[in-house]
Amino acid sequence: MADEQDTREVLFPQWMGTDTLGLTIEQKGQGEIFVKEVKDESPAAHTGKVYEGDQIVGATIYFDNMSSEETADLLKTLNRHKVGLKLQNKSADKSPCRSPMGTLSWEGQMACSSNLRLNLD
């Protein structure tokens, strides 16, 4: 696994799958996921931050362009992961309910264990 100082985060605002970004990924070993290929002239290549051989150690999903149904479906598919929820008690707050905007973060670990953080902002 990469040192923390070698870890970088790359934002893809128009994520529609690895194919549309010009990435090929593969799973190796016990739950480790790597970038197998970055296609020339692809959105991933244009970032200048994604390289073949990079290990994918985490992901963040932003809920701001997701419907509440998509968000609920995503949360329902999670199984045994460590999840943290940021909650707000709406009974004391008379302001209108906010949309399900926020982020879902996953940080993979060596072997089969993983951590998942859910931040609803």
Side-chain angles (χ1 to χ4, degrees):
M1 186 176 236
D3 292 336
E4 190 171 315
Q5 60 186 330
D6 294 333
T7 302
R8 60 202 173 282
E9 186 171 357
V10 182
L11 180 64
F12 294 103
Q14 300 297 322
W15 181 273
M16 294 182 70
T18 56
D19 290 340
T20 60
L21 295 174
L23 289 175
T24 303
I25 60 173
E26 69 178 339
Q27 183 176 350
K28 293 182 180 179
Q30 297 290 321
E32 299 171 337
I33 302 170
F34 291 87
V35 175
K36 182 177 181 179
E37 179 185 13
V38 180
K39 295 179 182 159
D40 292 337
E41 301 303 315
S42 67
H46 284 290
T47 68
K49 296 180 180 180
V50 182
Y51 306 102
E52 293 176 6
D54 281 348
Q55 182 177 3
I56 300 172
V57 295
T60 300
I61 300 170
Y62 293 84
F63 292 166
D64 52 338
N65 291 319
M66 293 176 69
S67 69
S68 59
E69 291 83 13
E70 288 175 309
T71 303
D73 288 344
L74 178 64
L75 294 174
K76 289 176 186 175
T77 62
L78 300 175
N79 292 317
R80 292 179 304 255
H81 300 283
K82 187 176 191 177
V83 176
L85 297 176
K86 182 177 181 182
L87 305 172
Q88 186 175 21
N89 184 338
K90 287 295 185 183
S91 62
D93 182 3
K94 301 300 181 194
S95 63
C97 231
R98 292 172 35 184
S99 65
M101 294 172 55
T103 61
L104 173 68
S105 299
W106 169 80
E107 293 180 7
Q109 302 294 320
M110 298 293 283
C112 288
S113 66
S114 65
N115 293 327
L116 182 67
R117 289 191 316 267
L118 175 65
N119 301 317
L120 296 175
D121 296 321

Short mmCIF file of all heavy atoms in Angstrom, two decimals, residues 12-25 37-47:
data_model
loop_
_atom_site.label_atom_id
_atom_site.label_comp_id
_atom_site.label_asym_id
_atom_site.label_seq_id
_atom_site.Cartn_x
_atom_site.Cartn_y
_atom_site.Cartn_z
N PHE A 12 -13.34 13.44 -10.31
CA PHE A 12 -13.95 13.26 -11.63
C PHE A 12 -15.40 13.70 -11.52
O PHE A 12 -16.27 12.91 -11.14
CB PHE A 12 -13.87 11.80 -12.08
CG PHE A 12 -12.47 11.32 -12.34
CD1 PHE A 12 -11.82 10.51 -11.42
CD2 PHE A 12 -11.80 11.69 -13.50
CE1 PHE A 12 -10.52 10.08 -11.66
CE2 PHE A 12 -10.51 11.26 -13.75
CZ PHE A 12 -9.87 10.44 -12.83
N PRO A 13 -15.72 14.95 -11.86
CA PRO A 13 -17.08 15.46 -11.66
C PRO A 13 -18.13 14.81 -12.56
O PRO A 13 -19.30 14.85 -12.25
CB PRO A 13 -16.96 16.95 -11.95
CG PRO A 13 -15.64 17.17 -12.57
CD PRO A 13 -14.80 15.97 -12.33
N GLN A 14 -17.73 14.20 -13.65
CA GLN A 14 -18.68 13.58 -14.57
C GLN A 14 -18.48 12.06 -14.62
O GLN A 14 -18.43 11.47 -15.70
CB GLN A 14 -18.53 14.17 -15.97
CG GLN A 14 -18.78 15.66 -16.05
CD GLN A 14 -20.19 16.03 -15.66
OE1 GLN A 14 -21.15 15.33 -15.99
NE2 GLN A 14 -20.34 17.12 -14.94
N TRP A 15 -18.37 11.41 -13.48
CA TRP A 15 -18.13 9.96 -13.43
C TRP A 15 -19.29 9.22 -14.06
O TRP A 15 -20.45 9.41 -13.71
CB TRP A 15 -17.97 9.51 -11.98
CG TRP A 15 -17.70 8.05 -11.85
CD1 TRP A 15 -18.62 7.05 -11.78
CD2 TRP A 15 -16.43 7.42 -11.80
NE1 TRP A 15 -18.01 5.84 -11.68
CE2 TRP A 15 -16.66 6.04 -11.69
CE3 TRP A 15 -15.13 7.89 -11.83
CZ2 TRP A 15 -15.62 5.11 -11.61
CZ3 TRP A 15 -14.10 6.97 -11.75
CH2 TRP A 15 -14.35 5.60 -11.64
N MET A 16 -18.98 8.38 -15.03
CA MET A 16 -19.98 7.52 -15.66
C MET A 16 -19.38 6.13 -15.86
O MET A 16 -19.68 5.43 -16.82
CB MET A 16 -20.47 8.11 -16.98
CG MET A 16 -21.23 9.41 -16.78
SD MET A 16 -21.87 10.09 -18.29
CE MET A 16 -23.13 8.93 -18.70
N GLY A 17 -18.46 5.77 -15.00
CA GLY A 17 -17.81 4.47 -15.09
C GLY A 17 -16.37 4.62 -15.57
O GLY A 17 -15.98 5.63 -16.14
N THR A 18 -15.59 3.58 -15.33
CA THR A 18 -14.17 3.62 -15.66
C THR A 18 -13.94 3.70 -17.16
O THR A 18 -12.99 4.34 -17.61
CB THR A 18 -13.44 2.41 -15.08
OG1 THR A 18 -14.07 1.21 -15.54
CG2 THR A 18 -13.43 2.45 -13.56
N ASP A 19 -14.81 3.09 -17.96
CA ASP A 19 -14.63 3.10 -19.42
C ASP A 19 -14.69 4.52 -19.98
O ASP A 19 -13.88 4.88 -20.84
CB ASP A 19 -15.69 2.23 -20.11
CG ASP A 19 -15.48 0.75 -19.85
OD1 ASP A 19 -14.36 0.36 -19.47
OD2 ASP A 19 -16.44 -0.02 -20.01
N THR A 20 -15.63 5.32 -19.52
CA THR A 20 -15.77 6.68 -20.05
C THR A 20 -14.60 7.58 -19.63
O THR A 20 -14.34 8.57 -20.27
CB THR A 20 -17.09 7.34 -19.62
OG1 THR A 20 -17.12 7.41 -18.20
CG2 THR A 20 -18.28 6.57 -20.15
N LEU A 21 -13.92 7.20 -18.56
CA LEU A 21 -12.76 7.98 -18.11
C LEU A 21 -11.47 7.51 -18.75
O LEU A 21 -10.44 8.15 -18.61
CB LEU A 21 -12.62 7.88 -16.59
CG LEU A 21 -13.74 8.52 -15.80
CD1 LEU A 21 -13.57 8.25 -14.33
CD2 LEU A 21 -13.79 10.01 -16.07
N GLY A 22 -11.53 6.36 -19.44
CA GLY A 22 -10.32 5.84 -20.07
C GLY A 22 -9.46 5.04 -19.11
O GLY A 22 -8.25 4.96 -19.28
N LEU A 23 -10.09 4.42 -18.12
CA LEU A 23 -9.37 3.61 -17.13
C LEU A 23 -9.76 2.14 -17.26
O LEU A 23 -10.92 1.81 -17.50
CB LEU A 23 -9.74 4.03 -15.71
CG LEU A 23 -9.24 5.35 -15.19
CD1 LEU A 23 -9.82 5.61 -13.81
CD2 LEU A 23 -7.73 5.37 -15.14
N THR A 24 -8.77 1.29 -17.08
CA THR A 24 -9.03 -0.14 -16.90
C THR A 24 -8.51 -0.48 -15.52
O THR A 24 -7.37 -0.11 -15.18
CB THR A 24 -8.29 -0.97 -17.96
OG1 THR A 24 -8.68 -0.53 -19.26
CG2 THR A 24 -8.61 -2.45 -17.82
N ILE A 25 -9.35 -1.11 -14.70
CA ILE A 25 -8.91 -1.49 -13.35
C ILE A 25 -8.95 -3.01 -13.22
O ILE A 25 -9.65 -3.69 -13.97
CB ILE A 25 -9.78 -0.83 -12.25
CG1 ILE A 25 -11.25 -1.24 -12.37
CG2 ILE A 25 -9.64 0.68 -12.30
CD1 ILE A 25 -12.11 -0.75 -11.22
N GLU A 37 -4.65 0.25 -16.82
CA GLU A 37 -4.33 1.03 -18.01
C GLU A 37 -4.99 2.40 -17.93
O GLU A 37 -6.11 2.53 -17.45
CB GLU A 37 -4.84 0.30 -19.25
CG GLU A 37 -4.60 1.02 -20.55
CD GLU A 37 -5.22 0.32 -21.75
OE1 GLU A 37 -6.04 -0.60 -21.58
OE2 GLU A 37 -4.87 0.72 -22.87
N VAL A 38 -4.29 3.42 -18.41
CA VAL A 38 -4.84 4.76 -18.59
C VAL A 38 -4.71 5.05 -20.09
O VAL A 38 -3.61 5.13 -20.62
CB VAL A 38 -4.08 5.83 -17.78
CG1 VAL A 38 -4.67 7.20 -18.01
CG2 VAL A 38 -4.08 5.48 -16.30
N LYS A 39 -5.84 5.17 -20.77
CA LYS A 39 -5.81 5.38 -22.22
C LYS A 39 -5.38 6.80 -22.56
O LYS A 39 -5.77 7.76 -21.90
CB LYS A 39 -7.19 5.08 -22.80
CG LYS A 39 -7.56 3.62 -22.63
CD LYS A 39 -8.92 3.29 -23.18
CE LYS A 39 -9.19 1.82 -22.91
NZ LYS A 39 -10.58 1.48 -22.94
N ASP A 40 -4.56 6.91 -23.60
CA ASP A 40 -4.07 8.21 -24.07
C ASP A 40 -5.24 9.11 -24.42
O ASP A 40 -6.26 8.66 -24.94
CB ASP A 40 -3.18 8.03 -25.31
CG ASP A 40 -1.87 7.33 -24.98
OD1 ASP A 40 -1.45 7.37 -23.81
OD2 ASP A 40 -1.28 6.74 -25.90
N GLU A 41 -5.08 10.39 -24.13
CA GLU A 41 -6.07 11.42 -24.45
C GLU A 41 -7.43 11.22 -23.76
O GLU A 41 -8.42 11.80 -24.16
CB GLU A 41 -6.28 11.53 -25.98
CG GLU A 41 -5.01 11.87 -26.74
CD GLU A 41 -4.36 13.17 -26.27
OE1 GLU A 41 -5.05 14.17 -26.07
OE2 GLU A 41 -3.11 13.15 -26.10
N SER A 42 -7.47 10.40 -22.73
CA SER A 42 -8.71 10.18 -21.97
C SER A 42 -8.83 11.22 -20.87
O SER A 42 -7.85 11.88 -20.51
CB SER A 42 -8.70 8.78 -21.36
OG SER A 42 -7.71 8.69 -20.35
N PRO A 43 -10.05 11.38 -20.29
CA PRO A 43 -10.19 12.31 -19.16
C PRO A 43 -9.23 11.97 -18.01
O PRO A 43 -8.67 12.88 -17.40
CB PRO A 43 -11.65 12.12 -18.74
CG PRO A 43 -12.34 11.69 -19.99
CD PRO A 43 -11.34 10.84 -20.71
N ALA A 44 -9.01 10.68 -17.73
CA ALA A 44 -8.08 10.30 -16.67
C ALA A 44 -6.65 10.72 -17.00
O ALA A 44 -5.92 11.22 -16.14
CB ALA A 44 -8.15 8.80 -16.41
N ALA A 45 -6.25 10.54 -18.26
CA ALA A 45 -4.90 10.92 -18.68
C ALA A 45 -4.72 12.44 -18.60
O ALA A 45 -3.66 12.92 -18.21
CB ALA A 45 -4.63 10.43 -20.09
N HIS A 46 -5.76 13.19 -18.94
CA HIS A 46 -5.67 14.65 -18.93
C HIS A 46 -5.52 15.23 -17.52
O HIS A 46 -5.07 16.36 -17.38
CB HIS A 46 -6.87 15.28 -19.64
CG HIS A 46 -6.80 15.17 -21.12
ND1 HIS A 46 -5.89 15.88 -21.89
CD2 HIS A 46 -7.50 14.41 -22.00
CE1 HIS A 46 -6.05 15.57 -23.15
NE2 HIS A 46 -7.01 14.67 -23.26
N THR A 47 -5.89 14.47 -16.49
CA THR A 47 -5.68 14.98 -15.13
C THR A 47 -4.21 15.06 -14.79
O THR A 47 -3.80 15.87 -13.97
CB THR A 47 -6.38 14.10 -14.07
OG1 THR A 47 -5.72 12.83 -14.01
CG2 THR A 47 -7.86 13.94 -14.34
#
